[in-house]
Amino acid sequence: MDDRIRHHWAAFKESPFVPAAVLVLIVSAGAGLFAGSYTYAMADPTPHRVPVAVVGVTHETVRGEAFAAGMEQALDASLDLTYQPSLQEARRLVEEQRVFGILEVHGSDVRLNVAGAAGASVAQLLTEAAPQVAARIGVRLTVRDIKPLQRGDPRGLALFYITLAAVVMGFIGAVQLSVHASALSPWERIAATAAYAGLGGLSIVAAVDWVLGALDLPVPESWFILALTMFTSGMVFTMFNTLVGRWAMVPTWGLMVLLGNPSSGGAVSWPLLPSPLGTIGRWLPPGASVNAQHTAVYFSGHQRLTPFLVLAIWALGSMAVFLRYRERHPGVGRRPRTGS
């Protein structure tokens, strides 16, 4: 009886039912994690620390301080107030994405300058809370958007969507190379990944800007960011495919989609994300891509090197791991021989 059980168990382990059963469990758990990660990050955005600049010769008067305190209470958050000598200096901080709004306080008059392009969700919260606070404190309030979003992207989600497309299609392309072109040599695989990344980035630009007209993109810069994002995503999958074989989609999906996209700051601005996500997100490829794209489109002239370094480190690191352990990658070294 024991021999028969061992025989059946050995046969079962060699059958396709084992990976099928594992996939059933992974996909089932993944569905819940997918929904949970996005809901955790986006369903109830809560401000934690909102940087706001304050200008005006009487900004330290009782009413000015009372308005700032009232805004903090209304938002259930801490306004990180930085007092600036002039509106021009405060506008510079907005352009550098160091503050999300400007309070101009002049006696009983308060002007709230929001920056929709810096963070649509933050601007919306400030705009909704300010009139109630002004009425309670007894000040005259004016609200204006000094850095509005483009007309074709009123909710500020288009950059998140194009980044999501680049991330997902980046690793799907690598999956398809592993399935349909498994015999490529390591450098041929890297070249193919770079090729579809370059063409894919251009395709996204063409669809969103030239065809739909939803965004007016700075084409060379946006194209480069999207192509680098696709290449990075493809190389991350290739690295995991080398390390864990056929289960590579699990860590890739977890890193890039379950963790990376909700924490990217594309759908919900950094100050409204749960603190761990807001900290981690900008060091992952989706967050770095959103950050670079956001600056390229809305804050031209203030682009930073950090997001490009993050993408480059992930891409080069993944490529280095793949090349170091290339003999473990499915298909490498299995090119059919031709000739005698």
XYZ file of all heavy atoms in Angstrom, residues 25 47 66 79 139 208 215 225 231 305 317 320:
86
model
N -4.091 29.011 -6.753
C -3.915 29.696 -5.469
C -3.288 31.069 -5.641
O -3.715 32.051 -5.018
C -3.041 28.832 -4.541
C -3.644 27.492 -4.109
C -2.627 26.700 -3.295
C -4.918 27.697 -3.314
N -4.622 63.299 4.052
C -3.411 64.121 4.102
C -2.614 63.867 5.371
O -3.176 63.719 6.456
C -3.954 65.553 4.063
C -5.371 65.444 4.555
C -5.850 64.092 4.137
N -4.830 81.833 12.527
C -6.081 81.126 12.776
C -6.555 80.387 11.523
O -7.075 79.267 11.609
C -7.153 82.107 13.251
N -0.207 71.096 8.178
C 0.280 71.926 7.084
C 1.730 72.289 7.387
O 2.031 72.846 8.439
C -0.559 73.192 6.943
C -1.995 73.052 6.446
C -2.620 74.421 6.307
C -2.041 72.310 5.124
N -12.725 85.579 7.404
C -11.847 86.248 6.441
C -12.455 86.144 5.055
O -13.273 85.263 4.780
C -10.426 85.628 6.442
C -9.772 85.780 7.795
C -10.472 84.157 6.036
N -1.644 59.064 -27.223
C -2.163 60.020 -26.240
C -2.093 61.458 -26.733
O -3.010 62.250 -26.500
C -1.392 59.872 -24.909
C -1.791 60.957 -23.928
C -1.654 58.503 -24.298
N -3.096 65.002 -24.079
C -1.975 65.676 -23.439
C -1.082 66.305 -24.497
O -0.929 65.749 -25.589
C -1.139 64.689 -22.615
C -1.706 64.189 -21.288
C -0.812 63.099 -20.730
C -1.844 65.335 -20.286
N 11.383 58.863 -21.437
C 10.946 58.366 -20.121
C 10.119 57.090 -20.275
O 10.321 56.110 -19.540
C 10.142 59.454 -19.381
C 11.043 60.641 -19.046
C 9.517 58.886 -18.105
C 10.281 61.884 -18.607
N 11.719 49.503 -20.825
C 12.937 48.697 -20.800
C 13.219 48.208 -19.380
O 13.555 47.033 -19.167
C 14.116 49.512 -21.319
C 15.420 48.766 -21.312
C 15.693 47.803 -22.269
C 16.379 49.021 -20.332
C 16.896 47.094 -22.262
C 17.582 48.327 -20.315
C 17.834 47.360 -21.275
N 17.373 64.821 -11.664
C 18.107 63.647 -12.095
C 17.668 62.387 -11.355
O 17.758 61.280 -11.900
C 19.607 63.884 -11.875
C 20.577 62.799 -12.377
C 20.434 62.596 -13.878
C 22.009 63.172 -12.009
N 20.804 47.154 -12.870
C 20.925 46.105 -11.861
C 20.281 44.811 -12.310
O 20.852 43.716 -12.154
N 22.395 43.284 -15.002
C 23.612 42.678 -14.461
C 23.323 41.307 -13.854
O 24.088 40.349 -14.052
C 24.230 43.605 -13.412
